[in-house]
């Protein structure tokens, strides 16, 4: 019967938070309206009536299957157009989402055309389908005390736009520096001097396509595919393929020990379509590539993980609400196992210092302000825990590193949910809309870099 994009309204925040952990409904984002809190969700058509019987109001927004097939066909046509015009891998020329292979080709082009201040980084772990991933570094010069920022994307296969955004940002930055000009994005202007300060004072580390196997499968076969393509366990069917990489990092990965029951969406069931956590923390080669990259650049101070959708900039923590009063109440303290994740009570809250909290919010607001200048879209700033807690995510792992091992530098972690909820196929919107998103998010990433290199 297919999948529906829906709005679900519940009695209150506690009622809505039960959807993900307890009822296994795929919740993507939420917003506050005059009617109360409304969540975006994806529900099989045959399950809608069941959700309504649980006391929720459900509004159908979109039967996604036909639209998703249209996006896939548009992508294939756009690739052929780029080949005909000699623009293979050219994200600036555009025309459609880059393919998985074109993302890698774009980095080869960047290295060829900007060798003096561009480094293509070969990552050590092949994916399950034997793809070799690369990251890149933009920066002229080097030095042990040189600050760094890190942007990653493509963790979830169906979120096609994040690799394109990151490559668009990189190529705009590289070309502006080469030509000694500024960058204009809507009404937001960055001067040539600001661009020069980023490239000459900062290392900008970008991993545009963390999960190429999942992205390829989504673009060519199943548009809603989220996970990687880890083979199904022996004796299990193909429906058990894949791991959610954003539940596979070594931060509270053992969720059923660390959290109260039914509070996180994570699952140990490999047949789960969305949030199977894998066989162990960092079991996946794609996860280990991100960890390796953070180790390779020990002076990274900020990490931004790009996802879709919901026009929100999220900061640490995602495991529970924050508090700064009691440092003993933290993710390393086994005394609080089984109490985390009940975000509507006072039994547990994750420790974060006032200084870090203030800087995280300030950085997120700077990014949001730059985005708004491009075409007026307002990205909300919020703590990652939002409506419901998460475990073993990229941004929380990045921030937790210095607390687990004092030899590692502090990295404030962020997740950006780009794109509008009401766009058609919001995980991978029509490409004309995606181009607008690319421009606004690029403004936010440049603002992030400017703040990082000036502190």
């Amino acid at each position: 019967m297919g999948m529906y994009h829906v709005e679900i309204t519940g009695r209150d925040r506690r009622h809505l938070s039960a959807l993900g952990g307890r009822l296994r409904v795929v919740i993507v984002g939420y917003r506050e309206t005059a009617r109360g809190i409304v969540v975006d969700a994806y529900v099989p058509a045959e399950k809608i009536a069941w959700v309504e019987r649980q006391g929720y109001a459900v509004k159908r927004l979109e039967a996604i299957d036909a639209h998703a097939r249209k996006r896939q066909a548009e992508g294939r046509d756009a690739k052929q157009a780029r080949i005909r015009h000699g623009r293979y891998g050219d994200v600036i020329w555009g025309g459609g989402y880059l393919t998985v292979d074109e993302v890698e080709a774009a980095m080869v082009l960047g290295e060829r055309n900007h060798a003096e201040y561009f480094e293509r980084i070969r990552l050590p772990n092949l994916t399950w389908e034997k793809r070799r991933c690369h990251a890149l570094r933009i920066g002229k010069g080097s030095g042990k005390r040189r600050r760094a920022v890190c942007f990653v994307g493509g963790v979830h296969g169906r979120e096609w736009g994040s690799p394109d955004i990151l490559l668009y940002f990189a190529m705009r930055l590289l070309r502006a520096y080469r030509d000694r000009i500024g960058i204009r994005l809507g009404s937001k202007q960055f001067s040539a001097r600001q661009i020069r300060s980023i490239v000459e004072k900062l290392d900008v580390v970008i991993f545009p396509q963390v999960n190429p196997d999942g992205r390829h499968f989504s673009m060519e076969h199943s548009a809603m595919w989220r996970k990687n393509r880890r083979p199904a366990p022996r004796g299990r069917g193909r429906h058990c393929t894949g791991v959610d990489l954003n539940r596979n990092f070594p931060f509270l990965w053992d969720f059923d020990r660390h959290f109260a029951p039914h509070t996180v969406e994570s699952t140990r069931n490999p047949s789960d379509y969305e949030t199977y956590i894998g066989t162990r923390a960092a079991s996946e080669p794609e996860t280990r590539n991100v960890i390796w990259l953070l180790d390779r650049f020990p002076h990274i101070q900020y990490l931004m993980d790009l996802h879709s959708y919901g026009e929100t900039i999220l900061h640490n923590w995602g495991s529970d609400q924050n508090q700064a009063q009691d440092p003993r109440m933290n993710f390393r303290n086994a005394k609080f196992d089984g109490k985390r994740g009940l975000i509507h009570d006072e039994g547990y809250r994750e420790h974060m210092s006032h200084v870090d909290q203030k800087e995280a919010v300030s950085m997120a607001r700077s990014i949001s302000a730059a985005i708004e200048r491009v075409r007026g879209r307002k990205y909300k700033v919020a703590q990652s825990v939002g409506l419901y807690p998460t475990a073993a995510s990229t941004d929380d792992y990045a921030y937790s590193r210095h607390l687990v091992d004092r030899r590692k530098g502090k990295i404030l972690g962020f997740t950006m949910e780009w794109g509008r909820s009401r766009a058609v196929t919001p995980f991978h919107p029509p490409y004309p809309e995606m181009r607008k998103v690319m421009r606004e998010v690029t403004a936010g990433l440049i603002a992030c870099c400017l703040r990082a290199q000036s502190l």
Side-chain angles (χ1 to χ4, degrees), residues 114-119 137-143 146-147 173-174 177-178 180 195-204:
H114 306 276
E116 187 180 354
Y117 40 90
F118 184 104
E119 177 188 5
R137 179 186 69 88
I138 297 172
K140 186 174 182 180
S142 60
R146 188 180 177 100
R147 291 191 180 106
L173 188 64
L174 290 164
Y177 181 76
R178 177 195 63 193
R180 301 181 181 181
I195 300 304
R196 187 168 63 250
S197 71
I198 291 172
V199 177
E200 296 181 357
K201 295 181 180 179
L202 194 69
D203 281 334
V204 182

Side-chain angles (χ1 to χ4, degrees), residues 248-284:
N248 188 240
F249 283 86
F251 172 77
L252 299 178
W253 175 85
D254 192 5
F255 71 94
D256 42 9
R257 175 167 67 91
H258 296 302
F259 288 84
H262 307 301
T263 55
V264 292
E265 287 187 284
S266 301
T267 177
R268 295 185 183 275
N269 180 5
S271 68
D272 187 88
Y273 189 72
E274 297 283 324
T275 54
Y276 172 50
I277 66 173
T279 57
R280 64 183 185 282
S283 61
E284 304 310 293

Side-chain angles (χ1 to χ4, degrees), residues 216-359:
H216 177 78
F217 189 76
S218 173
M219 297 180 89
E220 293 296 326
H221 302 287
S222 177
M224 280 291 289
W225 189 259
R226 168 180 166 111
K227 300 184 287 183
N228 73 350
R229 296 296 294 168
R230 180 188 181 96
R234 182 173 297 180
R236 306 291 289 267
R238 286 182 296 175
H239 65 285
C240 294
T241 299
V243 168
D244 181 357
L245 300 177
N246 211 32
R247 301 294 185 272
N248 188 240
F249 283 86
F251 172 77
L252 299 178
W253 175 85
D254 192 5
F255 71 94
D256 42 9
R257 175 167 67 91
H258 296 302
F259 288 84
H262 307 301
T263 55
V264 292
E265 287 187 284
S266 301
T267 177
R268 295 185 183 275
N269 180 5
S271 68
D272 187 88
Y273 189 72
E274 297 283 324
T275 54
Y276 172 50
I277 66 173
T279 57
R280 64 183 185 282
S283 61
E284 304 310 293
E286 299 90 346
T287 308
R288 295 195 297 274
N289 278 338
V290 175
I291 294 171
W292 181 91
L293 193 64
L294 298 184
D295 289 338
R296 164 80 185 274
F297 293 94
H299 297 295
I300 291 172
Q301 296 180 322
Y302 304 93
L303 175 139
M304 176 77 75
D305 184 10
L306 270 62
H307 288 264
S308 57
Y309 54 87
E311 296 185 324
T312 308
I313 301 168
L314 304 168
H315 62 82
N316 307 111
W317 295 97
S319 53
D320 211 302
Q321 291 168 300
N322 289 352
Q323 57 86 19
Q325 291 72 38
D326 185 358
R328 296 170 299 175
M329 189 181 291
N330 67 75
F331 67 94
R332 292 166 295 158
N333 192 341
K335 175 183 176 181
F336 297 100
D337 282 353
K339 299 180 181 180
R340 300 177 182 88
L342 295 169
I343 60 173
H344 309 294
D345 74 348
E346 299 293 332
Y348 180 83
R349 299 203 171 195
E350 196 67 60
H351 182 260
M352 187 177 194
S353 72
H354 284 301
V355 172
D356 288 356
Q357 171 90 10
K358 182 179 179 180
E359 172 54 22

